[in-house]
Each structure stands twice: as structure tokens, then as C-alpha cells.
Amino acid sequence: MKPSGPGAWPGELDNGRYRFVRELGRGGMAAVLLYRDEHLGCEVAVKLPTCEPGEETARRFTAEMRSMGKLRHPHVVTAFYSGQHAGRPYLVMDYWRGHTLAEAMRRSPRPPSAGGCRPSPTPSTSPTPAGSCTGT
């Protein structure tokens, strides 16, 4: 699935529960899209693969969903649903308004640290959840 223009992403998922709003970003394996959850009345982020469907893509998405489902941290989005559309897996996650990692790095680049991880960003620079839409 390599969308190239308007209407290239599914207009709806899960029998109309999720309605497409816009693309948020894209990486090497997948794109993250903004959908509206008509059932809960809030916005969600949906991750869809941009690569060809197959067992490897399904396996990777399933492994990612299981890993994300175990995480609970204020700086990590919650994944709460997975499904398939036209044979392609997708993940539904919290949508957080804020800035992209690339934008954050342009504003405040940090040199590599020999001591490991840096402290988390302060609450004033952290993205915030867009609404309470966790669960089905």
C-alpha cells in the first residue's frame, strides 16, 4: 500500500467505526494516520503498513501491538485495538497532539551522552493526549 494522493487511504475502518481525517506522518514501514472513532467520539492514531502485505508484515504488526499493549507510561501512547483492512493489518492508538520528533530535535538538539539516556522532557514540552479515547 503506497498511497500517492487524496483518497489513497481507507476512508473508513472496522465497518465505519474509524473515519479517515488526514495523514500524520510516514516512516520506512508504515504511515500513521488520524482517524475519528465514531463509537467513542474522539480522534485516534492508526498505523497502516506502506509495504506489501504478507506474513512478515502481519507478524511484525502483531508483535508491535502485543509489545505496545503491555506498556503503560505517561510518555508512550497506548495501543488499544488492531484489525485488518483489505488483508493489511492496522493498529489503533491514542492520538496525542504535539510536535514530531524531527521538530523537537530542531528546537532542542541534544548531543550524544556517554552516560546513557537523557531525562524525559519537561511537561511543558511534552505532547499531550488529545482526548480520552483509550479502550473499545
Side-chain angles (χ1 to χ4, degrees):
M1 181 182 291
K2 295 189 179 190
S4 58
W9 294 114
E12 63 178 45
L13 297 169
D14 199 23
N15 295 317
R17 177 174 180 171
Y18 303 106
R19 300 218 182 260
F20 179 77
V21 178
R22 65 184 168 90
E23 184 175 316
L24 296 170
R26 189 182 303 217
M29 182 182 157
V32 177
L33 313 163
L34 182 64
Y35 276 75
R36 176 154 179 82
D37 184 329
E38 298 295 336
H39 180 75
L40 296 177
C42 60
E43 294 176 320
V44 295
V46 174
K47 184 174 182 179
L48 279 162
T50 54
C51 54
E52 290 302 315
E55 288 182 29
E56 180 64 14
T57 301
R59 186 193 64 72
R60 291 174 84 177
F61 263 68
T62 298
E64 182 175 351
M65 183 65 189
R66 287 183 178 151
S67 295
M68 290 180 72
K70 295 175 187 175
L71 295 174
R72 296 291 181 270
H73 189 277
H75 295 281
V76 177
V77 297
T78 300
F80 52 87
Y81 185 76
S82 66
Q84 283 201 3
H85 177 79
R88 296 176 188 274
Y90 63 89
L91 305 176
V92 180
M93 305 169 278
D94 284 331
Y95 169 61
W96 288 7
R97 287 188 181 97
H99 50 266
T100 66
L101 177 59
E103 291 166 342
M105 294 301 292
R106 279 193 296 272
R107 282 194 293 239
S108 179
R110 295 182 182 195
S113 171
C117 296
R118 296 264 184 182
S120 297
T122 61
S124 64
T125 62
S126 299
T128 57
S132 57
C133 193
T134 54
T136 53

